[in-house]
Amino acid sequence: MSTQSRRSMAELLEHSKVIPVVENRAQLQQVLKTSACKVVLLRHCNPLELAPLLQQAGPAFYVNVDHIEGVHVDAAGLHYLASTLGIAGILSANPKTLVIGKTEGLETVLRIFAADSTGLE
């Protein structure tokens, strides 16, 4: 697991405000080769297929668990993401999923959908 993943996303983004979004192995390989980013977001992919790349030292990986394949979003699945794959955190629109993620030691980010300013209230 990378040492960067032990720091919060806010700390990691102090010097770089860009978060690459990766959807497949080729994109992840490109980001790891060419980018000095500290955080990478995985979306619409299968983290199990990316496992060898995720376990290398490098950026902190965050997973949009509402849009991944191969891992069921329950306590066992989130435990696997955290302990075996070294995922630093998860994003979800489901607060119950985030509670489970916190119990597994993952940093959590609540995704919200706001069509206008009243949606934020």
Side-chain angles (χ1 to χ4, degrees), residues 67-106:
H67 299 280
I68 61 168
E69 301 170 356
V71 178
H72 187 63
V73 186
D74 60 3
L78 294 179
H79 177 77
Y80 182 81
L81 288 175
S83 65
T84 304
L85 298 183
I87 298 299
I90 58 172
L91 289 80
S92 179
N94 184 338
K96 290 180 184 180
T97 298
L98 298 178
V99 169
I100 297 169
K102 280 190 183 281
T103 64
E104 294 300 329
L106 293 164

Side-chain angles (χ1 to χ4, degrees), residues 114-121:
D116 55 33
S117 61
T118 59
L120 292 174
E121 295 173 9

